[in-house]
Structures are given as C-alpha cells and as structure tokens.
Amino acid sequence: MSVIWQDKSRICGKPITFTTYIIEDDCLYVREGLFNTRENQTLLYKVDDINVEVSLVDKLFNQGTIVLSTKDKSSPTIVLKNILNPYEVRKVLTRAIKEARERSEERRVGK
C-alpha cells in the first residue's frame, strides 16, 4: 500500500498534536496518542459522505475539519480535525474513495 496523503492535527496551523491521519490506497488510518497509541483503520469504500467545516479562525490558518460518515459499525463518524488545506484533502479523499470502490467491485465481480 502506498501513502496518498498524510498530515497531523494542528493548533493554529502548527502540527503540535499527537494525532496523525494517513490515507492509503484502500484505508484511512487515524493514530492518536504519544505514550498510549490508538489506531483506527477504516476501509475507504465504506465512506458515505464527506463534509468540510471551516471556522473563521480556521480560515486564518488555512485549516479545517473533515467529517466522514461511514458504513463502519465501529466508527460511523470519523473526524479529521484541524488539517491544512481541507478542501484539497477532500478532493484527495473523494478520488481515493472512488478508486477503492472500483477495486472492491472488481474483487466482488471477479469471484
């Protein structure tokens, strides 16, 4: 799997948090924590909806929050908080989700 996009949650535009977001070909990973690390993996084809939230303060730092609604029972909502260029990241996510759905469909048809 190759990393398509990776970033950290930010405070005032600075990546000084311990939350990392990674988009690979078929999965989205959310890693949180410094000493006790928790990682959530979601298959991209399960994402139903993408929303971008940008406050006035976020606009000053070119950051925002992306909220994903998924079919994943363990994580029906995934929040990518305070990431840089949220509209560009939404485009990357949309493309990655579409490609993951196509690959998933090919696997189902091929069986």
Side-chain angles (χ1 to χ4, degrees), residues 5-71:
W5 174 84
Q6 181 173 337
D7 200 4
K8 289 182 158 242
S9 182
R10 295 167 182 272
I11 298 173
C12 297
K14 304 292 184 207
I16 54 177
T17 66
F18 299 104
T19 302
T20 303
Y21 307 111
I22 302 168
I23 300 171
E24 290 186 351
D25 294 332
D26 291 323
C27 296
L28 167 67
Y29 298 93
V30 178
R31 292 186 186 139
E32 299 175 288
L34 175 62
F35 298 113
N36 296 318
T37 303
R38 182 177 64 218
E39 180 175 279
N40 180 19
Q41 174 189 359
T42 302
L43 296 170
L44 288 175
Y45 75 85
K46 291 186 175 187
V47 176
D48 283 331
D49 193 30
I50 305 171
N51 292 306
V52 178
E53 300 171 357
V54 180
S55 69
L56 180 60
V57 174
D58 287 337
K59 288 179 183 180
L60 295 173
F61 295 103
N62 192 28
Q63 67 185 29
T65 297
I66 294 179
V67 181
L68 304 171
S69 299
T70 75
K71 296 176 192 169

Side-chain angles (χ1 to χ4, degrees), residues 51-110:
N51 292 306
V52 178
E53 300 171 357
V54 180
S55 69
L56 180 60
V57 174
D58 287 337
K59 288 179 183 180
L60 295 173
F61 295 103
N62 192 28
Q63 67 185 29
T65 297
I66 294 179
V67 181
L68 304 171
S69 299
T70 75
K71 296 176 192 169
D72 191 1
K73 292 179 181 169
S74 65
S75 303
T77 302
I78 299 171
V79 180
L80 310 180
K81 293 184 80 150
N82 302 328
I83 57 170
L84 283 180
N85 305 312
Y87 295 106
E88 292 300 317
V89 175
R90 179 178 59 185
K91 288 179 186 177
V92 169
L93 260 169
T94 301
R95 190 174 332 111
I97 290 165
K98 180 181 178 221
E99 291 171 2
R101 284 183 181 151
E102 289 170 357
R103 282 191 296 276
S104 175
E105 188 62 32
E106 287 172 4
R107 284 185 210 124
R108 268 189 254 142
V109 172

